[in-house]
Amino acid sequence: MVKAIRVHQLGGPQVLKWEDVEIGEPKEGEIRVKNKAIGINFIDVYFRKGVYKAPSLPFTPGMEAVGVVTAVGAGLTGRQVGDLVAYAGQPMGSYAEEQILPANKVVPVPPSIDPVIAASVILKGMTAQFLLRRCFKVEPGHTILVHAAAGGVGSLLCQWGNALGATVIGTVSNKEKAAQAKEDGCHHIIIYTEDDFVTRVNEITSGNGVDVVYDSVGKDTFEGSLASLKLRGYMVSFGQSSGSPDPVPLSAIATKSLFLTRPTLMQYVVTRDELLEAAGELFANVASGVLKVRVNHTYPLSEAAKAHEDLEGRKTSGSAVLIP
């Protein structure tokens, strides 16, 4: 038996229960991993509340972790006991001391990267990678707008976007987060609780608008994001921390011939090659110092409920991890 966080009913942080679970031995093509650090993401909150549907109840939440391989299923080569590996995305269930994973879903963690850093960055970092490099390819001369610029993904988007040569505009809720966004390479910072971000973007871009908006906030920012885009701009909606946006009539994007996409990481790391490329580029940027990863909060795995409370209460900045 191992300990894990289980959700028996959907709801607030209090539904996260610390329990014994049976995980068994790895079958063909699988490995057993003893987690060293587990990343916390807003998607975990969406599953806990039922915004996204878990395959069944009860379930163990969690979409990223780093751990050591403790057992290898039959017929597997290329993975051995003692390997340090990371995974992000499916299958859900990382809020556990140990878990069984498909071997083709894990990536090796370079020895130069601390497991806690790797666990806090693999999901958010591969998300930033596909958003900036594939969904809309950011290049020198582009101007990008990043909402929640001090959040886990937002912070990485600002640093990486700056490194790619873009002018980065970030929105944040307060002065502390503004200071972090500045440190992360934001050229222009808008405190949206004090200023209307559409007006400010218009001023900053001399009325032209931005090439792309990376919007993880959803309902509260969606219309403003569309209004902030230049002709033929890209609206990339990749989250909804404030709730799902209202339905968009096609006429809303027709006025400026805009592109609108609602991507998810899983559709961008379908093949093993795509997964290794995304993780490889991410880890290379972490190792070289292009990306600074702030693990500002660590919690014991048994206190996942407290971690969720803080995340939803906007008490966190940067990344947070659970330690088994």
Side-chain angles (χ1 to χ4, degrees), residues 68-243:
V68 175
V69 177
T70 57
V72 174
L76 260 187
T77 54
R79 286 279 161 276
Q80 51 193 28
V81 171
D83 283 355
L84 187 67
V85 296
Y87 102 102
Q90 303 297 354
M92 184 162 58
S94 66
Y95 283 24
E97 291 175 330
E98 297 187 43
Q99 63 189 132
I100 303 282
L101 291 168
N104 65 353
K105 293 290 185 203
V106 305
V107 296
V109 178
S112 58
I113 296 177
D114 180 274
V116 172
I117 297 286
S120 75
V121 81
I122 179 89
L123 184 72
K124 300 172 194 70
M126 291 203 304
T127 299
Q129 191 272 347
F130 92 80
L131 290 172
L132 293 164
R133 308 284 288 135
R134 295 179 64 198
C135 204
F136 174 89
K137 204 165 169 43
V138 172
E139 291 173 347
H142 283 146
T143 301
I144 72 175
L145 174 61
V146 177
H147 288 301
V153 178
S155 160
L156 298 171
L157 287 171
C158 293
Q159 296 178 57
W160 207 330
N162 182 314
L164 290 168
T167 297
V168 183
I169 305 173
T171 71
V172 294
S173 58
N174 59 44
K175 286 190 167 61
E176 289 75 39
K177 290 184 176 181
Q180 186 191 302
K182 186 171 173 30
E183 210 177 291
D184 285 340
C186 253
H187 301 91
H188 304 277
I189 298 144
I190 301 164
I191 301 178
Y192 63 80
T193 47
E194 296 174 11
D195 289 315
D196 175 60
F197 77 85
V198 181
T199 307
R200 287 288 297 119
V201 167
N202 205 32
E203 290 164 4
I204 293 162
T205 62
S206 309
N208 291 321
V210 297
D211 293 276
V212 59
V213 179
Y214 292 111
D215 189 334
S216 63
V217 176
K219 194 177 180 67
D220 294 353
T221 49
F222 196 89
E223 280 183 28
S225 292
L226 290 179
S228 300
L229 285 163
K230 63 168 23 169
L231 284 181
R232 305 192 300 276
Y234 277 71
M235 171 66 184
V236 181
S237 169
F238 70 99
Q240 57 266 335
S241 58
S242 68

Side-chain angles (χ1 to χ4, degrees), residues 3-6 16-20 95-97 301-303 324:
K3 289 280 194 189
I5 295 289
R6 300 288 278 167
L16 298 168
K17 303 292 184 202
W18 180 237
E19 295 178 357
D20 287 319
Y95 283 24
E97 291 175 330
L301 176 57
S302 56
E303 291 176 23

